[in-house]
Amino acid sequence: MIFVVMGVSGSGKTTIGSLLAERLNLTFYDADDFHPEANVVKMRGGQALEDEDRMDWLHELGLQIKEWGKGDGAVLACSALKENYRYLLAPEPAPKITWVFLEGSRELLMERLRGRKGHYMPPELLDSQLKTLERPSYGLHVNVDNTPDAIVDEILKKTEDMKSLSEFGLIGMGVMGRSLALNMAEKGVKVSIYNRHVAGKEENVAKNIVKDNPSVSDMVGFDDLPAFVQSLERPRKILLMILAGAPVDQQIEALLPFLEEGDVIIDGGNSFYKDTTRRTKLLQERGIHFVGTGISGGEEGARKGPSMMPGGSQKGYEAIARYLNLISAPDKNGMPCTAYIGPDGAGHFIKMVHNSIEYAEMQVLAEAYYYLRYCLQTPPEEISRIFTGWQTGGLGSYLLEITIDILQKKEDGELLLDKILDQAAQKGTGGWSVGAALEHGVPYGPLTEAVSARSLSSFKKARVEAAKLYRHVAGNTEGDKSILIKRLTDAYQATRIINHEVGFNLMRQVSDDFEWNLDLSEIARIWTNGCIIRSELMEELVAVYATEKGLLTAPSVVNRMTEYQAGFAATVATGLQHGFALPVMASALNYFLGAITADSSANLIQAQRDYFGAHTYKRKDRGADESFHTEWKPL
Ligand code: 6PG
C-alpha cells in the first residue's frame, strides 16, 4: 500500500502524511528529504524550481516507491504538482498508489505558511506553486480546513469507500477493448469492463474475461449498463471501444441517463473526425466532457503500450491524462507516447492521417517487394535478407520488421504469402484522409495512390481477365543487380520522406484552417513508439518539425533527397518500363519533382481556363492583385 499525500506548500502534507502513516502502521517519508543539495539551495534563495531541476529528484522518488511497494508499503509526502511529475513517480511496473490530494484556499495556505518556522519554503513561492498545480481528477480529495485527526479520518473512510468503486470503465470487449482493459488493470488501476448481452452471441463476455484472467485482480465485469456506471467513481471516466459510426451515437444515448455533469466519455475507435467534433459539442451542452482519441498499435500495442492521440474536451482530457499516460508506450526518453492534440475532432483527425501514412508505408513496402521479386527476379529469402539489411542499417520501422517476418513464414514448406488472395481490404480511414486533402486543397498524391491501389486490387476478376490480353516485359532488367538494389533503397527512402511530408502537410493545413494549433513535432514524438508507423525516420521528424516548417526545405532532408534523386527516378523508370506498377513510388516522385520546380506548367492551365471560361489569370510581370483576360481565338 503506497499513499502519496500531495498538494502545494502549506497544505499539511508532512503533518497529515505522518499521522496517516502512524494510523496505518506504515513508514513515513518526506519527498523534500530526497532533494539534491542544489535544489535545496535554490529554494532557500527564494527561487522556484524549474522542471529540469525536478527530474532527477522525481526519478529517484519513483525508484524508492518501487522499493517500498515490494515491502509493506509507505506514506510519502510530496507536492507532485503536475501530471508529468506524478507519471515519473510511478515508473512501470509501479505498485498501486493511492493519491491523496490536500486542498485549501490560498488564504488558509498562506496563513499556515506565515506561521511556519525553520522551513526553507518562503511563502512567496505559494503563488508559483498554485500556478503550477495541475489538479488531479482522480485519487482522494480532502479539504484541509479541519484538524489533522479529522482529515486522516476522512482519508481512511474515503479509502474504504473507494475500494468498492472502479477508477475507470471500458465498454466493448473486442480485441482492442479487452487488451486495453488488461493493460490498465495490470498497471494497478481498478477497472470496470462492460460488454452488451446478445443472446446466443455475446453472453457474459466481460465476466468471462475477468474469469479467464485470474492474475489480474483489479477488474470487474458487467453486462448490465446501469450497474456498470454505478460501479465507477466520480467523475466517471468511460472509454468506448466499439465500432465507429452509428454504434457510438447509440452507446452515448444509452449512457446519458446514468451520467452526471463532469463525467467523461472517451471514444477510442477509428471514428470520423467530423463525428467527433459534433459529439464533443453536443455533449458539452449536456455538461459531459467528450474526448475522441486515436489509438494505434493493434492488439499488441493495446496490451503492452499503444500510441494515443486524444482530442476534444480539454477538461475531459485533464481528467483522464493520468490513465492514458499510464497505458501508453514510452518514447525514447521514457515519456508517454500520448499528448493532448487539440480541440474538436483533432485527435481522430490525426489518427486518420496516421492511417493514411500507414497505407502508403505498407504499399511502398509491397511495391519494393514486388519489384524485387518479379522485376529483378529475387527469391523471397533474398528479399527478406535485403529488407533485414535495411532494418538494421538505419531504415528501421515496425512495418518493415513485420514484413521481414511475413517473408519468412512458411506453411507446409511453402511461403504462406503466396497463398494469400491479392485483394487488399480497407475500413475507410485512408479514403477519409483523401477527402480531407481535397477539401482543404492539399496535394496528396502518394497517399491517395495507396488507397487506389487497394481499391484496384479488389477488382481481381477483371484484372485476371485483362492480364490475358496484355504482356508484361518481365525479367529483362539489365545491369548490375546490386546497383539496381541500391537504387531501390534510395527510392524507398525518398518515397517514405514524401509520404510523411504529404501527411504532415495535411495536418498543418487543417490545423491552420480550424485554428487547432497542432504541434507537428509533438505529434511525431507520440508516433515514435506504440503506433504502426513508428520508425527511425519518425525520430528524425521530431527534431525537424521542432524547427522547420516544411520537410522538403529542411537542410538534412535536402541533402538526403539530393542523394536519393537519381536512384529514385531510375527505379520508377525501370519498374514502369518493365510493366510493373509502382503507384506510390511513382506518385511520390511526381510530387517531389513538382514540389521542387520553380516554373511549372500551371501557366498553361491558367491560359486554358481563361480561353474557355474567361476565368482570368495573373501575370508574372504585373502585381498580384491584377487579373487579366485575353481573347485567345485567332481572328
Ligand atoms: C493502428 C491501425 C488500426 C487498424 C487500421 C486498419 O494504427 O493500429 O491503423 O487502427 O489496423 O484501422 O485499417 P484498414 O482496415 O483500413 O487497413
Side-chain angles (χ1 to χ4, degrees):
M1 228 191 328
I2 300 283
F3 285 81
V4 177
V5 181
M6 55 156 298
V8 295
S9 194
S11 57
K13 298 183 292 289
T14 312
T15 313
I16 301 303
S18 44
L19 192 58
L20 179 66
E22 200 183 301
R23 298 268 288 270
L24 291 169
N25 208 12
L26 294 174
T27 314
F28 172 74
Y29 296 94
D30 193 327
D32 282 348
D33 297 336
F34 293 81
H35 266 299
E37 185 56 25
N39 287 0
V40 178
V41 170
K42 211 169 172 181
M43 287 190 282
R44 267 203 193 112
Q47 274 180 280
L49 293 183
E50 301 293 334
D51 268 6
E52 52 193 60
D53 300 321
R54 293 188 173 98
M55 287 304 122
D56 287 347
W57 173 60
L58 291 166
H59 278 299
E60 171 59 24
L61 285 168
L63 293 178
Q64 294 288 340
I65 286 178
K66 246 186 203 173
E67 283 308 309
W68 303 332
K70 287 180 196 156
D72 294 337
V75 178
L76 172 74
C78 178
S79 50
L81 299 181
K82 284 192 187 177
E83 194 49 51
N84 269 351
Y85 305 166
R86 297 190 282 269
Y87 175 74
L88 291 172
L89 286 177
E92 284 310 314
K96 182 160 175 55
I97 296 177
T98 302
W99 301 89
V100 181
F101 176 46
L102 302 179
E103 49 189 347
S105 68
R106 181 180 177 280
E107 291 66 38
L108 177 72
L109 298 170
M110 195 57 102
E111 194 185 300
R112 289 190 175 179
L113 281 172
R114 290 217 169 94
R116 257 188 197 180
K117 284 200 182 81
H119 194 275
Y120 55 72
M121 171 63 85
E124 291 71 35
L125 289 189
L126 174 63
D127 284 332
S128 118
Q129 292 213 340
L130 285 171
K131 213 168 134 222
T132 308
L133 173 69
E134 289 166 10
R135 200 172 172 274
S137 65
Y138 48 87
L140 309 177
H141 290 217
V142 185
N143 195 302
V144 294
D145 195 4
N146 216 332
T147 63
D149 274 319
I151 291 172
V152 172
D153 283 345
E154 190 179 338
I155 294 171
L156 292 173
K157 177 167 183 321
K158 283 189 165 165
T159 307
E160 271 316 300
D161 292 350
M162 260 184 70
K163 276 189 191 151
S164 61
L165 292 177
S166 294
E167 287 180 69
F168 207 93
L170 281 106
I171 290 183
M173 288 298 113
V175 173
M176 291 294 281
R178 184 180 58 227
S179 305
L180 288 167
L182 290 167
N183 179 349
M184 200 177 275
E186 275 175 356
K187 305 259 160 66
V189 177
K190 185 167 180 192
V191 292
S192 287
I193 56 175
Y194 166 86
N195 198 84
R196 64 183 179 178
H197 175 92
V198 183
K201 285 188 186 149
E202 295 176 50
E203 291 182 357
N204 294 320
V205 177
K207 285 177 190 152
N208 285 339
I209 291 174
V210 175
K211 212 163 66 195
D212 295 344
N213 292 279
S215 61
V216 183
S217 54
D218 275 339
M219 218 160 51
V220 202
F222 295 89
D223 55 10
D224 174 75
L225 196 62
F228 162 77
V229 177
Q230 273 158 27
S231 75
L232 300 171
E233 65 176 47
R234 292 180 180 82
R236 298 174 182 99
K237 301 166 258 306
I238 301 174
L239 172 60
L240 311 182
M241 290 306 301
I242 57 177
L243 214 60
V248 175
D249 290 314
Q250 286 154 9
Q251 189 62 67
I252 291 171
E253 278 309 314
L255 271 171
L256 277 176
F258 310 109
L259 298 185
E260 286 168 319
E261 217 173 295
D263 287 347
V264 189
I265 301 181
I266 310 129
D267 173 15
N270 273 331
S271 287
F272 185 49
Y273 72 102
K274 289 186 181 173
D275 285 338
T276 305
T277 301
R278 170 176 60 78
R279 289 170 187 143
T280 306
K281 293 202 165 80
L282 201 82
L283 287 168
Q284 191 180 7
E285 285 161 18
R286 303 172 81 153
I288 306 292
H289 304 301
F290 187 71
V291 176
T293 184
I295 301 179
S296 178
E299 182 180 4
E300 196 184 332
R303 187 73 177 82
K304 297 184 182 156
S307 167
M308 303 187 85
M309 305 149 225
S313 159
Q314 173 122 30
K315 274 220 166 82
Y317 167 73
E318 281 159 15
I320 59 163
R322 181 176 107 78
Y323 302 95
L324 303 193
N325 289 345
L326 208 59
I327 60 171
S328 297
D331 71 9
K332 65 172 188 207
N333 297 316
M335 297 311 285
C337 282
T338 180
Y340 179 67
I341 303 302
D344 309 325
H348 275 137
F349 176 80
I350 75 147
K351 174 59 174 34
M352 178 188 83
V353 177
H354 166 284
N355 280 21
S356 147
I357 298 173
E358 174 185 300
Y359 277 39
E361 292 283 276
M362 292 164 78
Q363 177 66 26
V364 70
L365 275 167
E367 288 172 18
Y369 150 76
Y370 202 76
Y371 175 85
L372 281 167
R373 182 141 184 212
Y374 299 106
C375 190
L376 304 192
Q377 311 261 302
T378 316
E381 308 78 59
E382 201 185 323
I383 300 176
S384 159
R385 275 197 296 277
I386 293 166
F387 283 180
T388 304
W390 290 1
Q391 182 70 6
T392 52
L395 314 188
S397 74
Y398 169 72
L399 284 170
L400 180 57
E401 181 190 318
I402 65 166
T403 306
I404 294 166
D405 287 347
I406 291 167
L407 286 168
Q408 290 167 358
K409 189 76 180 173
K410 297 268 172 65
E411 190 190 72
D412 303 328
E414 287 172 42
L415 192 67
L416 177 58
L417 182 63
D418 288 343
K419 300 181 183 178
I420 296 180
L421 184 66
D422 53 326
Q423 281 184 312
Q426 50 185 318
K427 288 198 285 288
T429 45
W432 296 344
S433 306
V434 176
L438 289 174
E439 212 177 299
H440 291 266
V442 176
Y444 216 57
L447 275 49
T448 307
E449 281 303 329
V451 181
S452 293
R454 288 198 190 185
S455 304
L456 186 55
S457 79
S458 69
F459 294 106
K460 172 78 176 173
K461 210 164 150 236
R463 286 192 286 117
V464 170
E465 285 307 310
K468 293 177 193 155
L469 309 175
Y470 296 90
R471 196 166 56 90
H472 278 252
V473 202
N476 291 332
T477 43
E478 282 156 20
D480 184 339
K481 195 167 167 186
S482 67
I483 293 176
L484 291 166
I485 292 172
K486 165 74 179 75
R487 287 179 186 156
L488 173 69
T489 313
D490 289 346
Y492 174 67
Q493 298 193 73
T495 303
R496 294 196 57 222
I497 288 173
I498 301 298
N499 287 346
H500 287 78
E501 146 92 356
V502 167
F504 276 72
N505 275 353
L506 176 60
M507 291 192 285
R508 181 187 298 108
Q509 184 63 49
V510 171
S511 174
D512 289 350
D513 292 351
F514 290 152
E515 296 180 7
W516 277 349
N517 211 10
L518 296 183
D519 180 341
L520 297 187
S521 171
E522 181 66 349
I523 291 171
R525 185 193 68 76
I526 68 170
W527 287 351
T528 56
N529 199 8
C531 75
I532 302 293
I533 59 170
R534 61 186 185 261
S535 69
E536 290 182 59
L537 175 63
M538 196 64 80
E539 292 281 1
E540 269 183 73
L541 298 193
V542 180
V544 171
Y545 282 115
T547 53
E548 307 288 333
K549 239 180 162 276
L551 199 52
L552 285 188
T553 45
S556 59
V557 176
V558 174
N559 288 339
R560 286 179 55 173
M561 288 304 287
T562 307
E563 186 191 324
Y564 304 147
Q565 195 170 348
F568 189 11
T571 301
V572 171
T574 306
L576 298 187
Q577 208 180 359
H578 290 84
F580 294 94
L582 299 169
V584 165
M585 276 193 213
S587 177
L589 177 61
N590 269 315
Y591 174 91
F592 173 60
L593 296 177
I596 60 166
T597 298
D599 279 310
S600 74
S601 59
N603 50 353
L604 181 60
I605 306 289
Q606 284 299 79
Q608 290 165 333
R609 292 177 71 242
D610 189 55
Y611 191 123
F612 63 69
H615 292 297
T616 74
Y617 56 89
K618 306 235 182 262
R619 296 178 62 105
K620 293 175 185 171
D621 54 357
R622 301 291 278 273
D625 48 354
E626 288 179 83
S627 294
F628 297 89
H629 170 59
T630 297
E631 283 306 322
W632 295 92
K633 225 181 177 71
L635 292 171

